[in-house]
Amino acid sequence: MHGFRMLAIAGLAGLALGACGKSSGNQDKLAYEVCLASAKKDARVASAAFATLEQSKITGSTGEEEIRVNIPYELDGKKALFQCIAQKQADGSFKVIF
């Protein structure tokens, strides 16, 4: 019986970790999308060719509710990086704060 309990606990832990990964991936996507929209509104880089979500670097930032998004882009033959910090809002959406 003890072995079954340990197996059940391990299974539940695996499910919880899997759910966290999906949630994080969804949050990364939402943060990327809001930062990309912000980049496309920036007159200096609006016409650039921006990297995809998978080509961008997305990490935690200054707090649990903030995500730093670095989107590579190319403009006029030059490569650069659009940097953004997206903050999670109460409704689950993200807002660019930097």
Side-chain angles (χ1 to χ4, degrees):
M1 191 66 150
H2 179 62
F4 177 75
R5 183 182 305 171
M6 292 302 289
L7 183 60
I9 290 171
L12 289 174
L15 288 173
L17 287 174
C20 289
K22 288 180 183 174
S23 176
S24 176
N26 187 46
Q27 289 189 20
D28 288 355
K29 182 177 184 270
L30 293 172
Y32 168 82
E33 289 172 351
V34 74
C35 286
L36 181 61
S38 177
K40 289 182 176 183
K41 291 179 185 175
D42 185 329
R44 295 171 292 160
V45 296
S47 62
F50 293 97
T52 65
L53 170 65
E54 295 77 20
Q55 297 166 327
S56 299
K57 183 176 179 184
I58 302 171
T59 58
S61 185
T62 57
E64 289 183 20
E65 300 298 317
E66 295 176 359
I67 297 177
R68 180 178 300 275
V69 180
N70 293 316
I71 306 173
Y73 68 88
E74 188 170 334
L75 180 64
D76 298 329
K78 297 178 184 175
K79 294 184 179 191
L81 194 63
F82 184 83
Q83 298 179 313
C84 168
I85 296 178
Q87 184 179 58
K88 188 172 183 181
Q89 304 299 294
D91 66 358
S93 65
F94 280 84
K95 174 184 173 185
V96 172
I97 60 170
F98 171 80

